[in-house]
Amino acid sequence: MSDIVVFGIDFTSAPRRAKPIRVAAGVRHGAVVKLTGLVALHTLDEFSTWLRTPGPWVGGFDLPFGLPRALVAELGWPTDYDALIAHYAALSREAIRDRFAAFCDARPAGQKFAHRACDGPAGSSPSMKWVNPPVAFMLHAGVPRLIEAGVHLAGHRAGHDPRVALEAYPGLLARELIARRSYKSDTKAAQTPERLIARKDLVDALEQGRTRLGLRLKLSHAQRDELVADASGDSLDAVLAMVQAAWAVEQPRYGWPEGVDRLEGWIIGA
């Protein structure tokens, strides 16, 4: 049984020293995923450089890879995936916000946002959302860089590059393990003892393999302490995405169900 290199990436569209992109590196061997390191990337250029890490590897990226087909059709944007991403990348964030806001304003209350088919099963925010969290800007900042680096976006694009990128969502796995308990906050005043305990419980559950993914996380004592101590939850989110990627490695189509819309994509494990 050979080891498989896996990564989990907790992404931000505006990385900086105080809020970097977090990368969890690991190795899957059988039903065990061993965390081998945590890295912080402080700029989008550093992210682009990191993407050229030689393969083979499979990464779970916590950012949307696709937009809702209903939104794309309404706006008259290209429905070919590569053409859509090229069109989207050429827009400014202000233009994206204005177009999406106008789309929402024209729709009835309770149905403002368009959703992808994976949003319901994953419990994820619509990928057109530009605030809290600004996932539309994460797509704008991240996906063009993945394509530029030549990484294979499995399901979305044809290709055979040994570096494989999948869309992950840490919240999906976290909810399975600790339900809807909050375990993180970027706000100092909200970094409470209750959230600290939730992070400990989450790490314990991952180490014990108490997930439907059938994988057990292997950590050193220092790594466990680091994950629990990071009150932002970013390091832990990167690890959750890494575990999701490790599960997808052994699944047909990397865990995509049959008939998924390539324009929209799928969140692994949904």
Side-chain angles (χ1 to χ4, degrees):
M1 185 183 299
S2 59
D3 291 347
I4 303 166
V5 176
V6 289
F7 293 109
I9 296 84
D10 181 64
F11 191 76
T12 171
S13 58
R16 54 199 183 279
R17 187 65 55 180
K19 183 76 174 174
I21 296 166
R22 295 279 179 189
V23 179
V27 175
R28 173 173 175 168
H29 184 84
V32 175
V33 186
K34 181 181 180 182
L35 180 65
T36 57
L38 285 163
V39 175
L41 307 174
H42 298 102
T43 67
L44 290 170
D45 285 344
E46 284 184 33
F47 175 68
S48 293
T49 299
W50 176 85
L51 286 172
R52 290 178 165 76
T53 301
W57 52 258
V58 176
F61 291 74
D62 182 16
L63 71 149
F65 285 10
L67 291 166
R69 182 171 286 275
L71 171 72
V72 173
E74 177 69 24
L75 295 176
W77 289 356
T79 53
D80 170 78
Y81 183 77
D82 281 14
L84 173 64
I85 297 301
H87 175 81
Y88 194 66
L91 297 171
S92 68
R93 291 187 184 183
E94 292 75 17
I96 290 168
R97 182 195 62 216
D98 291 348
R99 282 167 173 78
F100 288 1
F103 174 91
C104 291
D105 288 345
R107 285 162 66 95
Q111 302 172 41
K112 293 294 186 184
F113 290 100
H115 289 267
R116 297 183 292 163
C118 60
D119 287 343
S124 55
S125 294
S127 60
M128 66 173 295
K129 202 173 181 192
W130 62 93
V131 287
N132 300 324
V135 287
F137 297 155
M138 292 164 69
L139 192 163
H140 184 260
V143 174
R145 284 177 168 79
L146 287 165
I147 292 173
E148 184 187 3
V151 176
H152 177 41
L153 273 64
H156 289 283
R157 311 176 77 229
H160 302 285
D161 196 281
R163 299 161 300 152
V164 177
L166 305 169
E167 182 178 342
Y169 177 44
L172 174 61
L173 185 52
R175 279 199 305 272
E176 182 189 342
L177 298 173
I178 60 168
R180 299 224 169 241
R181 293 164 62 196
S182 177
Y183 60 95
K184 60 182 181 176
S185 178
D186 288 329
T187 306
K188 204 79 173 171
Q191 295 173 351
T192 60
E194 290 78 16
R195 287 189 169 97
L196 173 68
I197 293 166
R199 288 195 299 280
K200 285 182 178 178
D201 291 347
L202 191 44
V203 170
D204 286 346
L206 287 168
E207 287 188 294
Q208 292 162 21
R210 297 203 313 265
T211 84
R212 61 190 171 86
L213 304 185
L215 295 171
R216 186 166 54 82
L217 180 64
K218 186 175 182 181
L219 301 171
S220 68
H221 291 300
Q223 288 170 338
R224 186 184 304 111
D225 290 346
E226 184 177 357
L227 293 178
V228 171
D230 181 2
S232 73
D234 293 346
S235 300
L236 189 46
D237 280 348
V239 168
L240 288 162
M242 179 190 74
V243 173
Q244 289 176 314
W247 171 82
V249 160
E250 297 291 340
Q251 304 304 310
R253 301 177 304 278
Y254 293 103
W256 276 41
E258 291 274 13
V260 171
D261 187 336
R262 286 184 171 220
L263 195 70
E264 294 194 350
W266 197 258
I267 292 168
I268 47 178

